[in-house]
Amino acid sequence: MNYQIALLKGDGIGPEIVESAVSVLETIGQKYGHSFAFTDYLIGGAAIDRTGQPLPQETVDGCLRSDSVLLGAVGGPKWDSRPAELRPEKALLGIRAALGLYTNLRPAKIYPALRDASPLRPEITGKGVDLLIVRELTGGIYFGERGCREGKFGEEAFDTECYSVYEIERIGRAAFAAAKKRRGRVTSIDKANVLETSRLWRRTMHRLAAEYPDIAYSDLLVDNAAMQLVRDPAQFDVIVTSNMFGDILSDEASQITGSIGMLPSASLGDGTRGMYEPIHGSAPDIAGQNRANPIATVLSAAMLLRYSLGLSAEADAIEAAVGSVLDAGYRTADLLGQMPGEPLSCTEMTAKLLSKL
Ligand code: IPM
Ligand code: MG
Protein backbone atom coordinates (compact mmCIF):
# COMPACT_ATOMS: atom_id res chain seq x y z
CA MET A 1 0.00 0.00 0.00
CA ASN A 2 1.00 3.58 -0.59
CA TYR A 3 0.21 6.07 2.17
CA GLN A 4 0.25 9.87 2.10
CA ILE A 5 1.63 11.33 5.31
CA ALA A 6 1.67 15.07 6.03
CA LEU A 7 4.64 16.19 8.11
CA LEU A 8 4.25 19.25 10.32
CA LYS A 9 7.76 19.55 11.70
CA GLY A 10 7.17 22.89 13.39
CA ASP A 11 9.68 24.59 15.64
CA GLY A 12 12.61 23.92 17.96
CA ILE A 13 13.50 20.24 18.04
CA GLY A 14 10.45 19.46 15.84
CA PRO A 15 12.41 18.94 12.60
CA GLU A 16 15.02 16.63 14.24
CA ILE A 17 12.53 14.32 15.94
CA VAL A 18 10.22 14.14 12.92
CA GLU A 19 13.18 13.18 10.71
CA SER A 20 13.92 10.38 13.15
CA ALA A 21 10.35 9.07 12.98
CA VAL A 22 10.41 9.33 9.17
CA SER A 23 13.47 7.09 8.98
CA VAL A 24 11.76 4.59 11.27
CA LEU A 25 8.66 4.61 9.03
CA GLU A 26 10.81 4.19 5.92
CA THR A 27 12.54 1.18 7.43
CA ILE A 28 9.17 -0.29 8.42
CA GLY A 29 7.94 0.34 4.87
CA GLN A 30 10.89 -1.57 3.37
CA LYS A 31 10.46 -4.44 5.77
CA TYR A 32 6.70 -4.84 5.42
CA GLY A 33 6.23 -3.70 1.83
CA HIS A 34 4.50 -0.33 2.29
CA SER A 35 5.47 2.97 0.77
CA PHE A 36 5.01 6.28 2.48
CA ALA A 37 4.88 9.57 0.58
CA PHE A 38 5.83 12.36 2.99
CA THR A 39 4.91 15.99 2.33
CA ASP A 40 6.06 18.87 4.53
CA TYR A 41 3.68 21.66 5.53
CA LEU A 42 4.40 24.74 7.60
CA ILE A 43 2.99 25.22 11.08
CA GLY A 44 3.67 27.35 14.17
CA GLY A 45 6.58 29.75 14.35
CA ALA A 46 8.11 28.35 11.17
CA ALA A 47 4.86 29.23 9.36
CA ILE A 48 4.73 32.69 10.95
CA ASP A 49 8.25 33.42 9.73
CA ARG A 50 7.49 32.33 6.16
CA THR A 51 3.87 33.39 5.70
CA GLY A 52 2.87 35.63 8.61
CA GLN A 53 0.25 33.06 9.72
CA PRO A 54 0.71 30.26 12.29
CA LEU A 55 -1.62 27.93 10.35
CA PRO A 56 -1.67 28.63 6.60
CA GLN A 57 -4.72 27.32 4.71
CA GLU A 58 -2.35 25.27 2.54
CA THR A 59 -1.36 23.30 5.63
CA VAL A 60 -4.97 22.54 6.55
CA ASP A 61 -5.73 21.51 2.94
CA GLY A 62 -2.60 19.36 2.77
CA CYS A 63 -3.54 17.54 5.98
CA LEU A 64 -7.08 16.98 4.70
CA ARG A 65 -5.64 15.36 1.56
CA SER A 66 -3.37 13.03 3.57
CA ASP A 67 -4.03 9.66 5.14
CA SER A 68 -2.55 10.94 8.36
CA VAL A 69 -0.47 13.67 9.97
CA LEU A 70 2.75 13.55 12.00
CA LEU A 71 3.55 16.65 14.02
CA GLY A 72 6.78 17.65 15.78
CA ALA A 73 6.24 20.59 18.12
CA VAL A 74 5.36 24.27 17.87
CA GLY A 75 6.33 27.44 19.70
CA GLY A 76 9.36 29.16 21.14
CA PRO A 77 10.49 32.38 22.82
CA LYS A 78 10.85 34.11 19.47
CA TRP A 79 7.07 34.23 19.05
CA ASP A 80 5.98 34.48 22.70
CA SER A 81 5.20 38.17 22.69
CA ARG A 82 2.75 37.99 19.79
CA PRO A 83 -1.00 38.47 20.34
CA ALA A 84 -2.92 35.24 21.09
CA GLU A 85 -4.44 34.95 17.61
CA LEU A 86 -1.01 35.00 15.98
CA ARG A 87 0.91 32.72 18.34
CA PRO A 88 2.21 29.31 17.24
CA GLU A 89 -0.04 27.59 19.84
CA LYS A 90 -3.07 28.96 18.02
CA ALA A 91 -2.09 26.78 15.08
CA LEU A 92 -2.33 23.68 17.22
CA LEU A 93 -5.87 24.51 18.34
CA GLY A 94 -6.73 25.48 14.77
CA ILE A 95 -5.53 22.26 13.18
CA ARG A 96 -7.27 20.14 15.85
CA ALA A 97 -10.54 21.91 15.11
CA ALA A 98 -10.09 21.96 11.33
CA LEU A 99 -9.47 18.20 11.21
CA GLY A 100 -12.27 17.47 13.73
CA LEU A 101 -9.87 15.70 16.11
CA TYR A 102 -11.97 15.60 19.26
CA THR A 103 -10.34 12.55 20.87
CA ASN A 104 -6.85 12.89 22.28
CA LEU A 105 -5.22 9.67 23.47
CA ARG A 106 -2.28 10.15 25.81
CA PRO A 107 -0.87 6.88 27.10
CA ALA A 108 1.53 7.02 30.04
CA LYS A 109 3.40 3.91 30.97
CA ILE A 110 6.54 3.13 32.86
CA TYR A 111 9.10 1.07 31.00
CA PRO A 112 10.73 -1.40 33.41
CA ALA A 113 14.18 -0.24 32.22
CA LEU A 114 13.32 3.36 33.15
CA ARG A 115 11.73 2.72 36.53
CA ASP A 116 14.54 4.60 38.31
CA ALA A 117 13.78 7.72 36.27
CA SER A 118 10.38 8.17 37.96
CA PRO A 119 10.32 10.70 40.79
CA LEU A 120 7.95 8.36 42.68
CA ARG A 121 9.26 5.76 45.12
CA PRO A 122 9.78 2.21 43.82
CA GLU A 123 6.98 0.88 46.12
CA ILE A 124 4.59 3.06 44.12
CA THR A 125 5.93 2.52 40.60
CA GLY A 126 6.65 -1.17 41.30
CA LYS A 127 2.94 -1.92 40.92
CA GLY A 128 3.30 -0.93 37.26
CA VAL A 129 1.86 2.21 35.70
CA ASP A 130 0.07 1.86 32.39
CA LEU A 131 -2.73 4.33 31.92
CA LEU A 132 -4.41 6.09 29.03
CA ILE A 133 -5.75 9.61 29.27
CA VAL A 134 -8.61 10.25 26.86
CA ARG A 135 -8.82 14.02 26.64
CA GLU A 136 -11.63 15.91 24.91
CA LEU A 137 -9.78 18.09 22.39
CA THR A 138 -12.07 20.41 20.45
CA GLY A 139 -14.42 21.82 23.07
CA GLY A 140 -14.62 23.22 26.57
CA ILE A 141 -12.89 26.34 27.80
CA TYR A 142 -10.25 26.15 25.06
CA PHE A 143 -12.90 26.97 22.47
CA GLY A 144 -15.52 28.85 24.50
CA GLU A 145 -16.55 32.47 24.41
CA ARG A 146 -13.82 34.75 25.66
CA GLY A 147 -12.89 38.36 25.81
CA CYS A 148 -11.67 41.40 27.68
CA ARG A 149 -13.90 44.17 28.99
CA GLU A 150 -14.35 46.82 31.65
CA GLY A 151 -15.75 45.30 34.82
CA LYS A 152 -16.53 46.28 38.38
CA PHE A 153 -12.82 46.52 39.24
CA GLY A 154 -11.67 47.94 35.90
CA GLU A 155 -10.08 45.86 33.14
CA GLU A 156 -11.06 42.18 33.26
CA ALA A 157 -10.88 39.11 31.06
CA PHE A 158 -13.05 36.01 30.84
CA ASP A 159 -13.07 32.54 29.31
CA THR A 160 -16.09 30.27 29.36
CA GLU A 161 -16.61 26.52 29.32
CA CYS A 162 -19.47 24.93 27.44
CA TYR A 163 -20.04 21.24 26.73
CA SER A 164 -22.94 19.68 24.88
CA VAL A 165 -24.31 16.22 25.63
CA TYR A 166 -23.24 15.33 22.08
CA GLU A 167 -19.60 16.25 22.73
CA ILE A 168 -19.54 14.44 26.08
CA GLU A 169 -21.11 11.32 24.64
CA ARG A 170 -18.69 11.00 21.74
CA ILE A 171 -15.60 11.36 23.93
CA GLY A 172 -17.16 9.03 26.48
CA ARG A 173 -17.71 6.39 23.82
CA ALA A 174 -14.10 6.72 22.72
CA ALA A 175 -13.00 6.08 26.32
CA PHE A 176 -15.27 3.05 26.82
CA ALA A 177 -14.11 1.59 23.50
CA ALA A 178 -10.48 2.07 24.52
CA ALA A 179 -11.08 0.43 27.90
CA LYS A 180 -12.60 -2.64 26.23
CA LYS A 181 -9.27 -3.24 24.51
CA ARG A 182 -7.33 -2.63 27.73
CA ARG A 183 -8.09 -3.61 31.32
CA GLY A 184 -11.79 -2.66 31.26
CA ARG A 185 -11.78 0.29 33.67
CA VAL A 186 -12.86 3.89 33.02
CA THR A 187 -12.44 6.77 35.46
CA SER A 188 -14.20 9.97 34.46
CA ILE A 189 -12.69 13.11 35.97
CA ASP A 190 -14.66 16.31 36.52
CA LYS A 191 -15.38 19.07 39.02
CA ALA A 192 -19.08 18.24 39.50
CA ASN A 193 -19.13 19.71 43.01
CA VAL A 194 -18.68 23.19 41.50
CA LEU A 195 -19.10 23.36 37.72
CA GLU A 196 -22.35 23.05 35.75
CA THR A 197 -20.47 21.63 32.72
CA SER A 198 -19.05 18.94 35.01
CA ARG A 199 -22.51 18.03 36.34
CA LEU A 200 -23.74 17.51 32.78
CA TRP A 201 -20.52 15.62 32.03
CA ARG A 202 -21.08 13.29 35.00
CA ARG A 203 -24.78 12.65 34.26
CA THR A 204 -23.96 11.86 30.66
CA MET A 205 -21.09 9.53 31.58
CA HIS A 206 -23.32 7.67 34.04
CA ARG A 207 -25.91 7.12 31.33
CA LEU A 208 -23.21 5.82 28.97
CA ALA A 209 -21.68 3.60 31.65
CA ALA A 210 -25.00 1.78 31.92
CA GLU A 211 -24.59 0.81 28.25
CA TYR A 212 -21.21 -0.79 28.98
CA PRO A 213 -21.90 -3.24 31.81
CA ASP A 214 -18.58 -5.03 31.27
CA ILE A 215 -16.60 -1.86 32.04
CA ALA A 216 -15.83 -0.92 35.66
CA TYR A 217 -16.78 2.75 35.80
CA SER A 218 -16.03 5.35 38.47
CA ASP A 219 -15.80 9.13 38.71
CA LEU A 220 -13.35 11.30 40.54
CA LEU A 221 -13.14 15.01 41.23
CA VAL A 222 -10.18 16.58 39.49
CA ASP A 223 -8.40 17.76 42.65
CA ASN A 224 -8.62 14.28 44.13
CA ALA A 225 -7.50 12.80 40.80
CA ALA A 226 -4.38 14.97 40.79
CA MET A 227 -3.57 13.56 44.22
CA GLN A 228 -4.39 9.93 43.35
CA LEU A 229 -2.13 10.08 40.30
CA VAL A 230 0.94 10.48 42.49
CA ARG A 231 -0.36 8.44 45.44
CA ASP A 232 -1.28 5.30 43.49
CA PRO A 233 -1.12 5.66 39.69
CA ALA A 234 -1.48 1.89 39.22
CA GLN A 235 -5.20 2.19 40.08
CA PHE A 236 -5.92 3.84 36.71
CA ASP A 237 -6.60 2.23 33.36
CA VAL A 238 -8.51 4.69 31.15
CA ILE A 239 -9.10 8.26 32.34
CA VAL A 240 -11.61 10.38 30.43
CA THR A 241 -11.82 14.11 30.99
CA SER A 242 -12.38 17.56 29.54
CA ASN A 243 -9.96 19.53 27.40
CA MET A 244 -8.39 21.59 30.18
CA PHE A 245 -8.35 18.95 32.91
CA GLY A 246 -6.82 16.56 30.38
CA ASP A 247 -4.14 19.08 29.50
CA ILE A 248 -3.11 19.43 33.13
CA LEU A 249 -3.41 15.80 34.22
CA SER A 250 -1.53 14.51 31.19
CA ASP A 251 1.53 16.55 32.09
CA GLU A 252 1.32 15.19 35.62
CA ALA A 253 0.95 11.62 34.37
CA SER A 254 3.89 12.01 32.01
CA GLN A 255 6.18 13.08 34.82
CA ILE A 256 5.27 9.93 36.77
CA THR A 257 6.87 7.89 34.01
CA GLY A 258 10.03 9.93 34.57
CA SER A 259 10.45 10.87 30.97
CA ILE A 260 8.31 13.34 29.08
CA GLY A 261 10.61 12.59 26.14
CA MET A 262 9.05 9.13 25.86
CA LEU A 263 5.33 9.83 25.56
CA PRO A 264 3.41 9.82 22.27
CA SER A 265 -0.12 10.98 21.57
CA ALA A 266 -2.84 10.50 19.01
CA SER A 267 -5.61 12.94 18.11
CA LEU A 268 -8.51 11.30 16.35
CA GLY A 269 -11.87 12.20 14.89
CA ASP A 270 -14.63 10.17 13.27
CA GLY A 271 -12.63 8.87 10.31
CA THR A 272 -9.25 7.17 10.27
CA ARG A 273 -7.20 10.31 9.67
CA GLY A 274 -5.46 11.47 12.83
CA MET A 275 -2.67 13.68 14.01
CA TYR A 276 0.17 12.15 15.98
CA GLU A 277 2.68 14.04 18.06
CA PRO A 278 4.97 13.73 21.08
CA ILE A 279 3.43 15.26 24.17
CA HIS A 280 6.55 17.29 24.93
CA GLY A 281 7.15 20.74 23.49
CA SER A 282 9.64 22.28 21.08
CA ALA A 283 12.51 22.47 23.65
CA PRO A 284 14.09 25.59 22.12
CA ASP A 285 17.02 25.34 24.56
CA ILE A 286 18.37 22.22 22.84
CA ALA A 287 17.04 22.81 19.31
CA GLY A 288 19.49 22.10 16.51
CA GLN A 289 22.00 20.41 18.84
CA ASN A 290 21.11 16.81 17.98
CA ARG A 291 20.42 16.12 21.67
CA ALA A 292 16.66 15.56 21.62
CA ASN A 293 15.10 12.23 22.49
CA PRO A 294 13.25 11.06 19.35
CA ILE A 295 11.39 8.21 21.11
CA ALA A 296 8.11 10.05 21.81
CA THR A 297 7.84 10.96 18.13
CA VAL A 298 8.84 7.47 17.02
CA LEU A 299 6.14 6.02 19.30
CA SER A 300 3.70 8.56 17.85
CA ALA A 301 4.52 7.18 14.41
CA ALA A 302 3.72 3.71 15.81
CA MET A 303 0.33 5.02 16.97
CA LEU A 304 -0.21 6.45 13.47
CA LEU A 305 0.37 3.01 11.96
CA ARG A 306 -1.95 1.39 14.47
CA TYR A 307 -4.88 3.84 14.53
CA SER A 308 -4.88 5.49 11.11
CA LEU A 309 -3.50 2.78 8.85
CA GLY A 310 -4.55 -0.33 10.77
CA LEU A 311 -0.98 -1.71 10.69
CA SER A 312 -0.71 -3.20 14.17
CA ALA A 313 2.11 -5.69 13.53
CA GLU A 314 4.22 -2.80 12.24
CA ALA A 315 3.31 -0.67 15.29
CA ASP A 316 4.17 -3.57 17.60
CA ALA A 317 7.58 -3.87 15.90
CA ILE A 318 8.38 -0.21 16.61
CA GLU A 319 7.24 -0.46 20.23
CA ALA A 320 9.32 -3.62 20.70
CA ALA A 321 12.38 -1.88 19.20
CA VAL A 322 12.00 0.95 21.72
CA GLY A 323 11.76 -1.57 24.57
CA SER A 324 14.87 -3.44 23.50
CA VAL A 325 16.96 -0.30 22.94
CA LEU A 326 16.08 0.78 26.49
CA ASP A 327 16.73 -2.70 27.89
CA ALA A 328 20.15 -2.61 26.21
CA GLY A 329 20.88 0.51 28.27
CA TYR A 330 20.93 3.15 25.55
CA ARG A 331 19.85 6.58 26.81
CA THR A 332 19.49 10.08 25.42
CA ALA A 333 20.51 12.94 27.73
CA ASP A 334 16.99 13.48 29.14
CA LEU A 335 16.76 9.82 30.19
CA LEU A 336 20.21 9.79 31.75
CA GLY A 337 19.51 12.81 33.98
CA GLN A 338 22.06 12.80 36.80
CA MET A 339 23.10 9.21 36.17
CA PRO A 340 26.63 8.46 34.90
CA GLY A 341 27.12 7.42 31.28
CA GLU A 342 27.50 8.84 27.78
CA PRO A 343 24.19 10.06 26.32
CA LEU A 344 23.31 9.16 22.76
CA SER A 345 22.48 11.93 20.32
CA CYS A 346 19.14 12.05 18.53
CA THR A 347 20.63 10.51 15.39
CA GLU A 348 22.52 7.85 17.37
CA MET A 349 19.35 6.83 19.19
CA THR A 350 17.56 6.67 15.83
CA ALA A 351 20.30 4.40 14.45
CA LYS A 352 19.93 2.07 17.45
CA LEU A 353 16.17 1.89 16.88
CA LEU A 354 16.65 1.16 13.18
CA SER A 355 19.11 -1.61 13.99
CA LYS A 356 16.48 -3.29 16.22
CA LEU A 357 13.93 -3.19 13.40
C1 IPM B 1 -0.82 20.23 24.82
C2 IPM B 1 -0.31 21.64 24.89
C3 IPM B 1 -1.29 22.55 24.16
C4 IPM B 1 -2.63 22.43 24.85
C5 IPM B 1 -0.87 24.03 24.07
C6 IPM B 1 0.52 24.18 23.49
C7 IPM B 1 -1.87 24.83 23.30
O1 IPM B 1 -0.11 22.03 26.21
O2 IPM B 1 -0.99 19.72 23.70
O3 IPM B 1 -1.00 19.63 25.88
O4 IPM B 1 -2.86 23.07 25.88
O5 IPM B 1 -3.47 21.66 24.36
MG1 MG C 1 -0.35 20.47 27.59
Side-chain angles (χ1 to χ4, degrees), residues 249-293:
L249 294 176
S250 61
D251 266 30
E252 186 187 2
S254 74
Q255 188 55 46
I256 293 169
T257 70
S259 44
I260 193 163
M262 293 287 302
L263 299 187
S265 75
S267 303
L268 305 168
D270 283 327
T272 56
R273 186 190 306 109
M275 188 168 78
Y276 300 82
E277 59 182 297
I279 78 152
H280 61 70
S282 60
D285 52 321
I286 59 162
Q289 299 173 25
N290 196 17
R291 283 170 59 199
N293 181 354

Side-chain angles (χ1 to χ4, degrees), residues 132 174-186 215 237-238:
L132 174 68
F176 283 100
K180 266 192 175 172
K181 296 193 195 144
R182 293 174 48 99
R183 301 193 304 280
R185 304 179 62 86
V186 169
I215 301 287
D237 178 17
V238 172

